[in-house]
Amino acid sequence: MPDKTSYEIVDGIAVITIDNPPVNAMSTAVRKDCWAALDKLAADSSAQAAVLICAGRTFIAGADITEFDKPIEDPWLPALVEKFEASDKLIVAAIHGTALGGGLETAMGCHYRCAVPAARVGLPEVNLGLIPGATGTQRLPRLAGVRKALDMMISGRPVSAADALEAGIVEKIIDGDLRSGAITYARALLDGGAPIKRVSQLEVAADGIDDEFFSEYAKGMARKTRGFFAPAQIVKSVEAAINESYEDAVKTERRLFDECKASTHSRSQRHLFFAEREVSKIPDVPRTTPVRDIKSVAVIGAGTMGGGITMNFVNAGIPVTVLEVDEAGLARGMGSIRKNYSVAVDKGRMTEAQLEQAMGMITPVTDYAGVAGADLVIEAVFENMDIKKDVFAKLDETCKQGAILASNTSSLDLDEIAAVTSRPQDVIGMHFFAPANIMKLLEIVRGRETAADVIATALAVAKKIRKTGVLVGVCFGFVGNRMFFPYIREAQLMMLEGIPPERVDQVAFDWGMAMGPHAVMDLSGLDVFYKLNNEWRDRPDDPVYCRMINVLSEMGRLGQKTGAGTYRYEGRKAVPDPEVMDIARREAQALGVQQIEVSDEEIVERLLFSMINEGARVLEEGIAIRPGDIDVIFVNGYGMPRYRGGPMKYADMTGLDKVYAAISKYRDRYGDLWWTPTPLLERLAGEGRTFQDWSENR
Ligand code: 3H9
């Protein structure tokens, strides 16, 4: 027998075990082996039935995603699933861990399914820009009903074994040893004369599914799935389960799957799947690096950021000491944390008792002695170098040896901060994104002297508090903000050029951004950008640069919080303000900025390509380790849609020659200062290569 599966007879039952670590993905080799095992089962007179089970930590976690960019090799998964179903001998799938995607589809090709209580099953293909393509869109509605199947496929969220049992996706829960339990179950089915249940032959329960159902369903999911290609394809495929014969509907599913697989969306989302796993691999920090034990955390500063950071740790069960300069600030900070938790209570996500328990894990203090024993201290004070240095000097005096001293700075020189301590090896940046209790991204900033175990610990902490930690180097703004500045700069310049902010925002939104640049600035506060620009010490001298941020901030128009910024606010509703465009026109005249007409394409290019050019520089300087790391930053921290894959993947898919040509065109128009193509971009464009290719073959 080939080595990805084993075949053994126990009590007249063939036990087919897949063993393809780490997650038993259905690779070509596994598919071939399963095919052979099924042939053997058919010919084996000593086997009356079979159990399909997996070794290791999980049942099959899906098709092997690494094979999606290569030509498909037979047997392809849909054919294998049909072969399981066609078996004349009864087959039971025995599920532990997660049966996902092609894994659940294979299980649904079997005649019965049993699972351990902790198992979870789901069809998460949508997260990869795909639809289930091995008859899952046809089988799940037959077992669980149309609505439940759609909900599972559109959300991509797996359900528990208990939920699967209730929905009819599995027939039995096995307490205790799965293998022996599944064999006993198969034996009992045989002895009881249970029929061979072929899911494809079941009717789809169509009660309550009228002509309107699918269009209503599509309308209902529209807001959450805006811009994504796969969700509507899933709906169409399930619609086929109702309106077409099984054989025709499977063909429809195949067509819709192939369209998804070839789409830029799926290529982007598959790229992110691997990029998000790769970020934790640091070339000079091996996985075996020991991590420091983090049992207690202290947060310096109880402002909005400090409060949000605190909540992350409390939610992960780690007690936090919060330090503020005075009792009043402390009371305000604790009040906001309580208020945030109350919102969760109001929404039914938390009970009053849990709220009190969470608050009980926070110790408010005003004296540095109170944070002396913490394993990890995160400074979240005002973004100002002198203040930060002062805090770190105090931490160096008070904190125990071995404590990790982290700064939440979003832009400042971490090495300069570390230099005020006697232990720069213990200093690291942990840049959270607002709102810190919600946003997934954590930029982990490595200083010149940060120790390897401190980096490994910060990455482990990120995982513990359910953040995506990305390691970056020291420079102004690190990776995210540094690359976001050109995007903001171009939005600002376009305002001076007479292009209304609402148009720029609409184009960015339609491209897929969660919000346009002007709306983001108004939300964060124009003063935040104003201060950041002023902290940027070696900013090129350009009076036009972000001029409107300066003018509006100095007028006290700071954004949503003052009721007016670039927009005027009626409650939270942004209303275009003609006065702002009047100011922009006057400023443009004074600065000699031409009024121009631009296409939507130009708006996208100027916003995105300026950012990509900076990204290439970030890579050249080694500030980001891989282009994929940059992409992970932008989809997790800056509202970039996953279906674009992040700025660097978007550039690769657009073609670096096109990006280079456009940047050169803007250099001709605006000069060298901001639009000089980065040498790396120029070289790769000339060689017809991608950032990804460069990263893998350096
Ligand atoms: C599909 O099935 C299509 C079909 O409908 C139709 C076909 C015709 N393939 O996440 P982890 C790797 S689409 C290849 O760190 P965890 C992963 O890259 C598929 N590799 O572990 C990582 O590698 P490395 C539908 C895969 O315990 C390692 O395994 N299925 C696959 O945190 C460990 O992964 C899905 O979308 C794969 N399918 O989480 C499920 N899955 O160590 C995708 C994982 O080199 N997978 N790897 O970095 C998951 O959601 C999680 O991996 C899982 C485990 C929950 C299983």
Side-chain angles (χ1 to χ4, degrees), residues 527-543:
D527 52 327
V528 172
F529 289 85
Y530 182 85
K531 283 181 199 133
L532 268 173
N533 284 339
N534 288 335
E535 287 283 345
W536 185 6
R537 291 178 192 160
D538 46 4
R539 173 160 60 89
D541 183 23
D542 175 10

Side-chain angles (χ1 to χ4, degrees), residues 669-691:
R669 191 197 297 168
Y670 293 109
D672 291 339
L673 183 58
W674 301 112
W675 282 105
T676 299
T678 311
L680 177 65
L681 174 65
E682 183 167 2
R683 176 156 69 80
L684 295 179
E687 293 169 358
R689 292 172 66 197
T690 59
F691 289 120

Side-chain angles (χ1 to χ4, degrees), residues 423-600:
R423 37 178 139 170
Q425 74 281 359
D426 294 337
V427 176
I428 195 161
M430 288 178 87
H431 176 205
F432 289 80
F433 286 70
N437 53 323
I438 293 172
M439 295 298 282
K440 286 280 292 172
L441 178 63
L442 180 66
E443 262 187 337
I444 299 173
V445 188
R446 160 187 214 159
R448 210 171 19 240
E449 293 188 51
T450 309
D453 67 331
V454 172
I455 294 173
T457 308
L459 285 161
V461 165
K463 206 164 182 184
K464 172 101 188 161
I465 59 173
R466 295 164 163 271
K467 299 278 180 209
T468 305
V470 186
L471 189 68
V472 301
V474 174
C475 65
F476 186 75
F478 312 123
V479 172
N481 282 346
R482 174 169 164 182
M483 288 177 61
F484 201 57
F485 293 149
Y487 174 87
I488 293 296
R489 179 194 81 217
E490 287 307 304
Q492 283 276 304
L493 177 58
M494 284 190 254
M495 213 186 329
L496 290 184
E497 289 173 331
I499 302 145
E502 61 276 19
R503 166 141 183 251
V504 172
D505 277 2
Q506 189 64 48
V507 171
F509 181 80
D510 291 345
W511 185 83
M513 297 299 286
M515 294 170 103
H518 295 291
V520 166
M521 282 184 270
D522 269 5
L523 181 67
S524 310
L526 288 171
D527 52 327
V528 172
F529 289 85
Y530 182 85
K531 283 181 199 133
L532 268 173
N533 284 339
N534 288 335
E535 287 283 345
W536 185 6
R537 291 178 192 160
D538 46 4
R539 173 160 60 89
D541 183 23
D542 175 10
V544 171
Y545 181 81
C546 290
R547 177 71 194 148
M548 290 299 287
I549 289 180
N550 295 353
V551 174
L552 295 174
S553 296
E554 282 159 15
M555 287 170 70
R557 293 184 66 127
L558 305 182
Q560 275 194 29
K561 60 187 168 192
T562 55
T566 298
Y567 294 102
R568 209 163 42 74
Y569 288 86
E570 288 170 4
R572 286 180 61 191
K573 186 169 173 261
V575 183
D577 189 344
E579 193 193 327
V580 169
M581 285 314 285
D582 288 343
I583 299 168
R585 255 187 304 276
R586 280 202 300 276
E587 289 295 326
Q589 212 164 22
L591 292 162
V593 174
Q594 304 261 313
Q595 301 296 287
I596 60 170
E597 301 272 330
V598 297
S599 64
D600 289 354

Side-chain angles (χ1 to χ4, degrees), residues 21-26 57-68 72 76-78 98 100-103 105 122-128 130-136 158 253-254 257 261 273-274 277-278 280-281 287 463:
V23 296
N24 290 311
M26 269 283 185
R57 67 194 217 214
T58 181
F59 192 75
I60 307 158
D64 187 336
I65 309 165
T66 60
E67 292 182 353
F68 281 12
I72 290 163
W76 185 216
L77 192 53
T98 43
L100 299 178
E105 291 173 303
L123 294 176
E125 285 87 342
V126 72
N127 297 326
L128 299 167
L130 296 169
I131 74 168
T135 64
E253 181 194 84
R254 172 66 57 83
F257 174 83
K261 184 163 156 281
F273 177 85
F274 290 112
R277 279 156 182 82
E278 214 177 359
S280 59
K281 294 173 192 155
R287 278 199 184 255
K463 206 164 182 184

Side-chain angles (χ1 to χ4, degrees), residues 27-78:
S27 61
T28 306
V30 174
R31 297 196 305 273
K32 282 187 175 155
D33 287 5
C34 283
W35 195 273
L38 288 170
D39 284 341
K40 183 166 177 176
L41 173 68
D44 187 352
S45 58
S46 64
Q48 296 159 284
V51 165
L52 175 70
I53 193 165
C54 290
R57 67 194 217 214
T58 181
F59 192 75
I60 307 158
D64 187 336
I65 309 165
T66 60
E67 292 182 353
F68 281 12
D69 290 326
K70 304 174 198 157
I72 290 163
E73 273 191 62
D74 284 335
W76 185 216
L77 192 53

Side-chain angles (χ1 to χ4, degrees), residues 234-442:
I234 291 173
V235 175
K236 280 186 214 158
S237 199
V238 174
E239 210 169 344
I242 299 272
N243 297 331
E244 297 172 17
S245 69
Y246 176 77
E247 290 68 27
D248 286 346
V250 166
K251 284 186 199 136
T252 302
E253 181 194 84
R254 172 66 57 83
R255 176 177 55 77
L256 295 166
F257 174 83
D258 286 344
E259 285 170 12
C260 285
K261 184 163 156 281
S263 68
T264 55
H265 285 212
S266 180
R267 280 160 57 206
S268 299
Q269 289 172 260
R270 272 146 43 200
H271 158 74
L272 288 170
F273 177 85
F274 290 112
E276 281 174 343
R277 279 156 182 82
E278 214 177 359
V279 279
S280 59
K281 294 173 192 155
I282 312 302
D284 62 339
V285 183
R287 278 199 184 255
T288 47
T289 309
V291 293
R292 299 188 190 178
D293 208 10
I294 305 296
K295 289 214 173 68
S296 62
V297 170
V299 174
I300 313 299
T304 315
M305 232 26 214
I309 294 171
T310 299
M311 289 172 75
N312 283 305
F313 288 95
V314 170
N315 296 347
I318 300 172
V320 182
T321 303
V322 178
L323 183 142
E324 252 302 340
V325 279
D326 55 28
E327 291 292 346
L330 209 46
R332 259 197 314 277
M334 292 295 283
S336 331
I337 296 176
R338 179 174 282 278
K339 204 165 139 209
N340 274 336
Y341 277 131
S342 302
V343 173
V345 172
D346 291 346
K347 290 188 177 160
R349 293 200 199 120
M350 202 179 189
T351 63
E352 280 288 348
Q354 284 167 328
L355 180 151
E356 292 309 330
Q357 198 188 357
M359 293 305 295
M361 287 173 70
I362 309 173
T363 310
V365 299
T366 50
D367 188 337
Y368 274 79
V371 304
D375 299 318
L376 165 66
V377 185
I378 303 175
E379 160 279 308
V381 301
F382 198 67
E383 188 74 354
N384 172 282
M385 184 53 97
D386 293 338
I387 301 177
K388 299 224 185 236
K389 280 184 176 170
D390 189 44
V391 169
F392 272 78
K394 290 204 182 89
L395 291 177
D396 190 35
E397 262 168 40
T398 20
C399 291
K400 68 176 183 188
Q401 285 305 313
I404 295 180
L405 309 183
S407 171
N408 177 50
T409 177
S410 59
S411 59
L412 300 177
D413 184 344
L414 187 79
D415 291 325
E416 198 176 326
I417 297 174
V420 303
T421 73
S422 60
R423 37 178 139 170
Q425 74 281 359
D426 294 337
V427 176
I428 195 161
M430 288 178 87
H431 176 205
F432 289 80
F433 286 70
N437 53 323
I438 293 172
M439 295 298 282
K440 286 280 292 172
L441 178 63
L442 180 66

